[in-house]
Amino acid sequence: MNRIRTASEFSRTVRSGARSGRRNVVLYGSITSGMDPSRFGFIVGKNVGNAVVRNLVKRRLREAAAIALTDNPQGLDIVVRALPASAAAGWPELSVDLDKGLNSVLRRLTARNNAAMEGEDS
């Protein structure tokens, strides 16, 4: 899978992107050039649980992201931060939260991009 790996890439996406919070996750997204493949990064801190729980949450989120990647194969960087509630969430709940969060981020990025385009036209 296309992954965000470096701290600078995580920082750029979190600071300059659109944000959407859900019960189990917070998503940050930014638009890259249209030809770059979409990439996902995951932040699962110790507040989520012990190593076993964190890895389970991470695996579930990676699978949900892989499914979402088929709909958005190019032009996005997405950072997913797992919240402590994600430790008790099952696969369906995490998957739905990631999908809804991603849709919200995409709407915000599209609105921001359209507003920037209108500003250039003036």
Side-chain angles (χ1 to χ4, degrees):
M1 180 193 296
N2 303 326
R3 292 182 10 204
I4 298 174
R5 295 178 186 256
T6 66
S8 63
E9 292 171 337
F10 273 92
S11 292
R12 182 188 54 79
T13 303
V14 170
R15 289 189 180 144
S16 68
R19 177 185 180 274
S20 175
R22 298 284 169 215
R23 183 180 192 289
N24 298 304
V25 294
V26 177
L27 278 81
Y28 305 89
S30 65
I31 296 175
T32 62
S33 72
M35 300 307 294
D36 291 338
S38 290
R39 302 181 306 166
F40 279 85
F42 301 94
I43 302 170
V44 184
K46 287 186 177 182
N47 60 351
V48 173
N50 64 23
V52 174
V53 173
R54 291 194 310 268
N55 285 327
L56 176 64
V57 168
K58 205 178 314 180
R59 283 194 307 271
R60 287 177 174 168
L61 289 173
R62 268 195 213 122
E63 182 61 27
I67 293 168
L69 195 59
T70 60
D71 295 334
N72 303 292
Q74 292 181 325
L76 294 173
D77 277 354
I78 304 292
V79 172
V80 181
R81 178 185 298 275
L83 299 175
S86 64
W91 158 251
E93 196 175 348
L94 283 176
S95 179
V96 166
D97 274 0
L98 190 128
D99 284 342
K100 287 184 177 180
L102 184 58
N103 288 336
S104 177
V105 165
L106 290 174
R107 277 195 311 274
R108 289 178 180 166
L109 288 172
T110 302
R112 187 183 294 177
N113 201 24
N114 289 344
M117 294 293 239
E118 289 175 7
E120 289 176 2
D121 292 342
S122 300

